[in-house]
Amino acid sequence: VQLQASGGGLVQAGDSLRLSCAASGGTNSMYIMGWFRQAPGKDREFVAAINWDGGTPYYTDSVKGRFTISRDNAKNTVFLQMNSLTAEDTAVYYCAADRSRANLHITVVQSTGAYDSWGQGTLVTVSS
């Protein structure tokens, strides 16, 4: 499956952004989708993930209450609504698919190695 992320940009602290990730080339949507981010000079880190049916979203602690992951399987698209952005959220954001699982497992959902397809990334810059 091919993934195309979009929606990044330059915003001020406190603003919101909505990222999108369009999937193509797959035969169905029965797989986990996740968002990761990579800040300059840092490792890629997990942000959020969601089951194939949109249930059981899972977030890293630093974005809980501010970010919301959702998906529209009819449009083969996953979203990341980001509110109350801070400078610490500045990073390239990547969407990813774990096609080996339909439902997320807490023990692996945060691992980059669990995902077999990656989008190209979209840059989010938050000015303070």
Side-chain angles (χ1 to χ4, degrees):
V1 64
Q2 290 76 49
L3 304 177
Q4 179 76 34
S6 62
L10 172 63
V11 298
Q12 293 186 333
D15 285 350
S16 298
L17 271 179
R18 189 193 197 199
L19 305 183
S20 299
C21 176
S24 61
T27 57
N28 60 61
S29 298
M30 295 188 69
Y31 48 81
I32 294 167
M33 288 295 299
W35 285 97
F36 287 74
R37 65 187 180 185
Q38 188 166 17
K42 295 187 177 181
D43 293 335
R44 192 170 298 189
E45 66 171 357
F46 171 80
V47 176
I50 193 166
N51 281 355
W52 76 274
D53 61 355
T56 320
Y58 185 75
Y59 303 93
T60 192
D61 286 346
S62 63
V63 308
K64 285 180 180 177
R66 300 189 299 122
F67 290 12
T68 302
I69 187 172
S70 61
R71 65 191 295 166
D72 183 342
N73 287 341
K75 298 181 178 179
N76 294 319
T77 302
V78 176
F79 305 97
L80 185 68
Q81 177 67 42
M82 306 186 295
N83 298 329
S84 302
L85 286 162
T86 72
E88 288 67 40
D89 296 315
T90 294
V92 177
Y93 283 71
Y94 299 88
C95 57
D98 175 1
R99 292 181 294 167
S100 69
R101 298 176 181 86
N103 297 299
L104 62 88
H105 291 241
I106 301 299
T107 56
V108 300
V109 68
Q110 299 187 60
S111 171
T112 57
Y115 298 80
D116 53 87
S117 298
W118 291 83
Q120 85 289 0
T122 184
L123 176 62
V124 173
T125 304
V126 184
S127 63
S128 57

